[in-house]
Amino acid sequence: MSARRSADNKVEPVLHKIILIGLPGSGKTSAGRAVARHFSWPFVDSDEALVSALGMSIKEYFAAHGEEAFRDQETAVLKRLVSQTGPFVLSTGGGAILRAENRQLLKSAGTVLYLQAEPEAIYRRLRHDTQRPLLQVSDPQAKIRALLDERDALYREVAHHVIPSGKSSLSVTVQKIIQQVESQ
């Protein structure tokens, strides 16, 4: 990827999509909104698009239909989102990379950045969240560690770049993303 200067001398990446992946609570949505503002691009959260398509919360859909049906719907929404023209920043659901089809789709759709956060940082961010079905267990910290063990290699397989996000403030994470994108 390369960069160009706009009329106001701002560096703009020459690409169509910036895609953020990582565990729930790694900062994808917050960082994605800020990166989109920086480039004056639309921001899309795949979980929000999924809720809109489902007509119910993810938690409700999980309870009614199970994870496999949810993943089917997630794939359909990702296909629709990445087929849109024009630049935007996309924040994906934490499990979007579980299917090989989704991994290939995301990797080929734009620049993929894995926001990698330590389980302890994720737990601090999500400890009061009751809307994430996979974390509604007796030991959420153990679940987060298990999810990271299961998914880290998949995130790395898809990512063009890994951005540490657990110990940094949001503004530092956003700057790292922007620098990475602009340096290509």
Side-chain angles (χ1 to χ4, degrees):
M1 184 181 66
S2 61
R4 65 183 158 147
R5 296 238 176 236
S6 65
D8 63 354
N9 207 31
K10 185 176 181 181
V11 175
E12 295 181 350
V14 180
L15 63 95
H16 294 285
K17 295 168 186 67
I18 296 171
I19 301 166
L20 303 179
I21 63 172
L23 282 178
S26 61
K28 300 178 303 285
T29 299
S30 298
R33 289 184 198 284
V35 170
R37 275 193 305 275
H38 173 83
F39 290 118
S40 300
W41 289 357
F43 171 74
V44 180
D45 183 299
S46 67
D47 281 347
E48 290 176 7
L50 191 51
V51 166
S52 179
L54 297 174
M56 65 179 71
S57 75
I58 291 171
K59 183 178 180 178
E60 291 168 330
Y61 194 86
F62 247 76
H65 304 283
E67 184 173 1
E68 188 66 25
F70 169 78
R71 297 295 174 201
D72 291 341
Q73 294 298 320
E74 180 177 55
T75 297
V77 166
L78 287 173
K79 285 179 180 177
R80 181 175 51 80
L81 292 175
V82 300
S83 70
Q84 296 176 14
T85 58
F88 63 85
V89 177
L90 173 65
S91 169
T92 65
I97 48 75
L98 291 174
R99 289 190 169 175
E101 176 183 11
N102 293 352
R103 292 193 302 274
Q104 191 280 326
L105 180 70
L106 294 171
K107 189 163 186 111
S108 65
T111 298
V112 181
L113 298 112
Y114 167 25
L115 299 189
Q116 193 277 322
E118 299 78 21
E120 297 75 24
I122 291 171
Y123 177 73
R124 279 194 309 276
R125 293 175 183 170
L126 299 181
R127 67 184 175 268
H128 301 298
D129 188 322
T130 60
Q131 297 305 307
R132 298 176 197 258
L134 291 176
L135 298 179
Q136 304 312 304
V137 295
S138 62
D139 187 352
Q141 282 185 295
K143 181 64 173 182
I144 292 167
R145 283 190 294 279
L147 289 173
L148 183 59
D149 289 346
E150 172 190 2
R151 298 177 181 181
D152 184 67
L154 299 175
Y155 291 133
R156 291 176 188 279
E157 173 188 326
V158 176
H160 295 102
H161 308 285
V162 177
I163 306 290
S165 68
K167 295 181 181 175
S168 302
S169 68
L170 176 61
S171 62
V172 169
T173 299
V174 168
Q175 277 309 115
K176 288 177 185 177
I177 294 168
I178 292 167
Q179 288 170 351
Q180 190 64 59
V181 169
E182 289 179 342
S183 70
Q184 295 185 9

